[in-house]
Amino acid sequence: PVPANLPLDISRSHVVALRSELRCEAGFLFGHFGTYGEGITEYLRKCVPALLGAAGERQCLLLGRGATDFRSLLVDTNPAFASRIHAPEGLAPLNVARHLIACDAMIQPFPEGVSGRRSSLMPSIALGVPTITTSGRLTEPVWEIADGVATSCTTVDDFTRLAEKVFQSPARLGELAAGGMALYRKHFAIDHTIEKLRANVASP
């Protein structure tokens, strides 16, 4: 497994200002963080417009390398959502983390399933941002029994339905926020990596 690749000691004092900048002070802001590979964008091309269309106050924040180009693709095919899809450019790691915690939820689908190697998912659960993802052949048992992410879906339609269900449940969002942080600390935090490296060095 890999630990989070963004700063985690983040003040939430910037959240109000960021959401005001995005004109999403009172609406629901969901996001995605990644590099927008072909398999993942197959999910995002369908589920982002569907989730935006389900409620007029929702907005989407795309973060990571390739986000701006992917936003252009989405807007070209869904021009009605142009003002509600955001992809800030050139963010330093600290600012990426600040934008992450401004989100009400993250959608992080993976065609082959979530796993401990998904570095783009680790920051959101580590920062306590409710996260919806997918199961697949690479998904380890820890994800199946944990309540730190919303998972078990394998198709785009199932993923979209699950995300919609979570978005509409403040209680479920709160459970995922707390559960994600606990899951990260228990299985994926940098302390575990250091411990395993030390054990390997100590072995004859």
Side-chain angles (χ1 to χ4, degrees):
V2 295
N5 56 4
L6 294 177
L8 300 181
D9 186 17
I10 305 297
S11 169
R12 294 185 176 268
S13 60
H14 299 82
V15 170
V16 173
L18 281 174
R19 290 180 68 103
S20 176
E21 183 180 323
L22 298 172
R23 299 180 181 177
C24 192
E25 296 93 334
F28 190 96
L29 179 65
F30 67 94
H32 175 80
F33 175 48
T35 55
Y36 302 87
E38 183 176 350
I40 292 173
T41 57
E42 286 182 13
Y43 276 76
L44 298 178
R45 281 199 300 267
K46 296 179 180 179
C47 72
V48 168
L51 293 170
L52 287 173
E57 75 279 5
R58 285 184 188 159
Q59 301 200 43
C60 179
L61 178 61
L62 305 173
L63 299 167
R65 189 170 65 251
T68 303
D69 289 341
F70 182 65
R71 179 193 177 276
S72 296
L73 184 153
L74 279 180
V75 169
D76 284 347
T77 53
N78 302 274
F81 298 136
S83 64
R84 295 164 57 194
I85 302 174
H86 313 278
E89 292 186 86
L91 296 180
L94 178 61
N95 274 333
V96 174
R98 287 172 173 168
H99 280 72
L100 269 176
I101 63 172
C103 293
D104 295 297
M106 296 295 291
I107 54 171
Q108 299 289 142
F110 302 105
E112 296 179 337
V114 64
S115 77
R117 300 292 295 172
R118 299 297 189 181
S119 58
S120 59
L121 175 136
M122 293 299 169
S124 61
I125 64 171
L127 289 166
V129 183
T131 302
I132 300 99
T133 186
T134 51
S135 294
R137 65 182 183 83
L138 297 183
T139 300
E140 305 100 337
V142 64
W143 300 98
E144 301 292 347
I145 62 173
D147 198 30
V149 295
T151 182
S152 79
C153 50
T154 56
T155 69
V156 177
D157 288 343
D158 287 345
F159 179 78
T160 304
R161 282 191 290 268
L162 178 61
E164 181 61 37
K165 184 177 180 180
V166 172
F167 287 3
Q168 293 186 27
S169 174
R172 185 64 175 136
L173 289 167
E175 291 171 356
L176 292 175
M181 294 178 74
L183 179 69
Y184 180 80
R185 287 194 298 266
K186 184 175 182 180
H187 295 284
F188 306 118
I190 188 65
D191 295 355
H192 300 296
T193 304
I194 294 171
E195 181 180 343
K196 290 177 181 179
L197 289 172
R198 285 176 173 169
N200 288 337
V201 170
S203 299

